Amino acid sequence: MSEHPVEPQYDFGGAKFDLNSPEDREIIRFILSQALYGEATGVYCGKSLYAAGSLEAARFYVRQAKQELAHLQLFADIFRALELKPLPAHWVIKLLSSHNNYYPLKVLMEHAIGEGMVLDIFRDILLATLPDEDPRVPLIKKKLRVVCKEEIEHVEWGEKETRRLLAEKRWLATPYYGLLELQMAVLPLLVRAFEKRTGQHPVLAHLPGFLEHVRTRVYNQGKDLGFVPEKRPGAVKRAVAMTTGLALFLRSQFARSKSTLEKTYIDELGLGDHPRPGGRGGSSDSHSESGSGSPDAVASA
Ligand SMILES: [Fe+2]
Ligand SMILES: [Fe+2]
């Protein structure tokens, strides 16, 4: 059963954008431009195929790359339908969507948290605030629902791998927590451009509430995954965690992809003397319970 519903989780109280208002169109253009950039970089998950530590991971990244390519096209269709031109991405989006070769950070930061927040924006903002009365919107929402369903799969992969890695390497909990605090610290910078207008606009009036909703959801996600303490630690402990997280992140920037399948494929396929616990032979659509392969083989930091 999915823990991630397809229906919006934040209540905008019926506030809608007006797709004929130039001001609203600028806001929608900003949001869609970040989405388009995120989807373009999402295609680079194909890079993870080279370093996939198991057949299961290889299957996931092939599937994800195809899905992200399709999302890119779907967002291009939405730009055309609304007669909008994309803007360059915001620096926060560029930072949050940069590829990480170090697998333990990739699954947490890109899939579990990053794509989780992507889902918050697509599902909670766009699906809730685009006006159904506009004849262009029903088709746009149909496309967005397809994207959301697939983003949920990506988040679930990230969560599954994060749990497995944390069980294997408990020490990851502190840098993971620090990185989550850092990500939450840069989040408000993304919406700073709109803060002055939050008082006047029916949708933007919800911005502070929505940000709080995202923060709470992400902290709860981290608690559920087992690396965010139940009670938020004091400033000193948080600073230590953030430093540890930053150090691991900087180290990860020098990680190089390392291939492993050419060494493990016989066991992965269940044809060797040491079948891997998560190896599933030739099946291409079943799901392993325990995950497989060595995450450290995916990248060396
Ligand atoms: Fe996507
Ligand atoms: Fe995705």
Side-chain angles (χ1 to χ4, degrees), residues 48-63 103 107 157 160-161 164-165 168 258-270 275-281 283 286-299:
S48 308
L49 181 60
Y50 174 70
S54 65
L55 281 182
E56 186 193 21
R59 285 187 196 104
F60 172 79
Y61 286 113
V62 168
R63 189 175 152 80
Y103 193 73
V107 292
W157 168 260
K160 177 181 155 171
E161 288 295 81
R164 185 170 65 78
L165 289 164
E168 282 174 15
K258 243 199 202 163
S259 62
T260 60
L261 269 184
E262 78 277 18
K263 300 174 195 88
T264 61
Y265 67 100
I266 293 176
D267 284 336
E268 279 282 328
L269 290 165
R276 294 162 78 92
R280 288 167 298 133
S283 158
S286 60
H287 287 275
S288 158
E289 289 307 313
S290 58
S292 59
S294 155
D296 287 339
V298 169

Side-chain angles (χ1 to χ4, degrees), residues 172-202:
L172 278 170
T174 303
Y176 270 2
Y177 171 59
L179 285 166
L180 182 141
E181 286 284 1
L182 285 168
Q183 279 182 302
M184 292 303 99
V186 295
L187 204 56
L189 303 178
L190 187 59
V191 295
R192 214 159 51 176
F194 298 112
E195 267 170 3
K196 287 185 257 25
R197 287 185 274 170
T198 50
Q200 307 139 27
H201 193 283

Side-chain angles (χ1 to χ4, degrees), residues 60-168:
F60 172 79
Y61 286 113
V62 168
R63 189 175 152 80
Q64 193 200 0
K66 281 165 82 174
Q67 290 175 340
E68 303 296 7
L69 257 177
H71 297 177
L72 188 62
Q73 195 58 55
L74 288 179
F75 274 100
D77 294 345
I78 296 174
F79 269 98
R80 281 194 200 94
L82 296 177
E83 294 171 81
L84 292 170
K85 285 262 182 243
L87 297 161
H90 191 283
W91 68 267
V92 171
I93 294 295
K94 288 186 180 170
L95 179 74
L96 293 179
S97 58
S98 55
H99 184 87
N100 199 312
N101 278 329
Y102 185 50
Y103 193 73
L105 293 196
K106 178 185 173 55
V107 292
L108 174 76
M109 293 175 72
E110 291 178 30
H111 297 310
I113 299 179
E115 292 183 289
M117 291 195 290
V118 160
L119 191 59
D120 289 329
I121 293 166
F122 294 176
R123 179 190 59 194
D124 289 16
I125 299 186
L126 292 177
L127 282 180
T129 62
L130 290 175
D132 290 312
E133 315 77 70
D134 189 293
R136 296 165 288 188
V137 167
L139 191 58
I140 291 175
K141 286 197 177 177
K142 205 172 158 191
K143 291 177 195 288
L144 284 171
R145 283 197 189 93
V146 171
V147 175
C148 286
K149 271 196 179 151
E150 293 176 349
E151 295 302 346
I152 288 172
E153 279 181 38
H154 307 164
V155 175
E156 287 174 346
W157 168 260
E159 290 183 339
K160 177 181 155 171
E161 288 295 81
T162 299
R163 273 185 222 280
R164 185 170 65 78
L165 289 164
L166 265 175
E168 282 174 15

Side-chain angles (χ1 to χ4, degrees), residues 17-28 136 201:
F17 283 111
D18 174 359
L19 290 174
N20 297 312
S21 138
E23 189 198 13
D24 284 19
R25 286 174 63 80
E26 265 316 293
I27 301 167
I28 294 282
R136 296 165 288 188
H201 193 283

